[in-house]
Amino acid sequence: MSVALGSATRVATMEHVSPIPGAQDAALEVLERRAELITTRPRTDAELAELAELTSALERLLAEPATVDRVQLEGPDADEPLARHLAAMEPVNPVADETDLLDRFAEDRRVFVLRHRALGNLPANVVWVALRKGIPNRLGEVLDPEAPTVEPADADTAVFYSIWNVQPGLAGMGGGRELIEGVVARLADELPSLHTYVTLSPVPGLRRWLESAGFESERAPSQLDSLAARYLSSMNADGRMLDPVGRFHLGNGASLHRVCEDADPSELGISRSWGVMANYRYEPENRAANRAALTARKPVLGEQPLRLLGLSP
């Protein structure tokens, strides 16, 4: 089964594709060297030229269609080693223990990876999904192992609560859009009751931005939600969103649906953003218009962020 993704990209969502003979070893060499160069600071002119060459080579290797595959911890189609590997790597919301891990592969969860023929069976990108009733505004609503399991057929909302590159050498190479669009298509086919697709995303640059603006670093400022809305709707001189997570989701056609204060009280959440998180909403029919608005330097905001900015919805 294939689903159309934009004008040129197609992602097969059901079947694996066989690897291109000999291509996997070549791709792995490119990925390893590119990952090394990405982290090198400062880079020489020769290293910059090599990085550009490797990026072009990788783009050619990844030109073949990709697949979106579900990863399961248990059951006849399970891939337990991969499931545990992804859980051990999880950088956005680290997995605490075995109970937490089992919960993230429960009946009301989905984990999907994007694979390319040139990489064989190695996953390129991963997204973690929670099936819920309503849009959550607290991380605890998604990552509480004690919470009742939602019957998937009764869920109306798919929450993307973590998405990242599995291969460090793919940083900046995209893939997230193909994965999200493929997952939305697959979930819509599997669960017709779903009508809302949102993220519950960290805001990794907020605290640093506040400190650079002169706010104290020891305690959260008053009107934190309004300040967060200003940060999340702001662009730099080059027309890029200040926040890297917002840059990714808005660039992929989402809108900023809601600013969630006190959403992540963990030590990591406080260090990133004083606990602020954000809901970005994906509406397939609005993706192209939202990307066009972003290009025009007018990111699409929901009613709540607009109110926080003192603007009329």
Side-chain angles (χ1 to χ4, degrees), residues 204-227:
L206 177 59
R207 185 164 173 173
R208 185 169 58 252
W209 179 77
L210 289 169
E211 292 171 359
S212 68
F215 290 91
E216 295 182 22
S217 60
E218 291 78 16
R219 58 194 177 106
S222 59
Q223 297 184 322
L224 178 60
D225 53 355
S226 296
L227 290 168

Side-chain angles (χ1 to χ4, degrees), residues 18 23 35 38 44 54 57-58 68 81 98 102 129 138 149 153 160 173 177 180 190 197 199 216 232 275 277 279 295:
S18 59
I38 288 172
T44 65
L54 291 175
L58 194 56
V68 173
E98 184 73 8
L102 293 174
V129 185
R138 299 288 186 275
T149 300
F160 306 126
M173 295 293 298
R177 179 183 300 181
I180 288 175
E190 177 192 354
Y197 299 89
T199 77
E216 295 182 22
L232 289 169
M277 300 188 77
N279 294 131
T295 300

Side-chain angles (χ1 to χ4, degrees), residues 53-214:
E53 183 179 349
L54 291 175
T55 300
S56 296
L58 194 56
E59 288 173 344
R60 291 192 296 271
L61 284 169
L62 301 184
E64 292 291 326
T67 64
V68 173
D69 299 315
R70 183 179 173 186
V71 178
Q72 300 184 65
L73 182 66
E74 300 174 335
D77 298 322
D79 186 344
E80 183 177 355
L82 176 58
R84 290 186 174 277
H85 175 68
L86 293 173
M89 289 181 64
E90 168 61 40
V92 181
N93 301 298
V95 177
D97 51 30
E98 184 73 8
T99 299
D100 189 10
L101 182 147
L102 293 174
D103 183 59
R104 298 197 195 196
F105 287 91
E107 184 181 2
D108 57 355
R109 301 302 179 97
R110 299 290 186 272
V111 179
F112 295 98
V113 294
L114 186 74
R115 288 187 169 104
H116 295 271
R117 292 183 67 196
L119 299 182
N121 286 324
L122 291 177
N125 309 80
V126 59
V127 63
W128 302 72
V129 185
L131 305 176
R132 288 292 178 264
K133 295 180 180 179
I135 301 175
N137 60 4
R138 299 288 186 275
L139 190 59
E141 298 177 47
V142 173
L143 295 184
D144 180 6
E146 303 300 322
T149 300
V150 175
E151 176 62 40
D154 296 334
D156 57 26
T157 302
V159 184
F160 306 126
Y161 64 93
S162 180
I163 181 169
W164 39 278
N165 288 328
V166 181
Q167 307 300 328
L170 289 175
M173 295 293 298
R177 179 183 300 181
E178 288 89 346
L179 179 56
I180 288 175
E181 292 180 357
V183 168
V184 168
R186 183 161 176 173
L187 288 173
D189 185 59
E190 177 192 354
L191 300 168
S193 62
L194 294 176
H195 56 73
T196 302
Y197 299 89
V198 298
T199 77
L200 185 58
S201 298
V203 187
L206 177 59
R207 185 164 173 173
R208 185 169 58 252
W209 179 77
L210 289 169
E211 292 171 359
S212 68

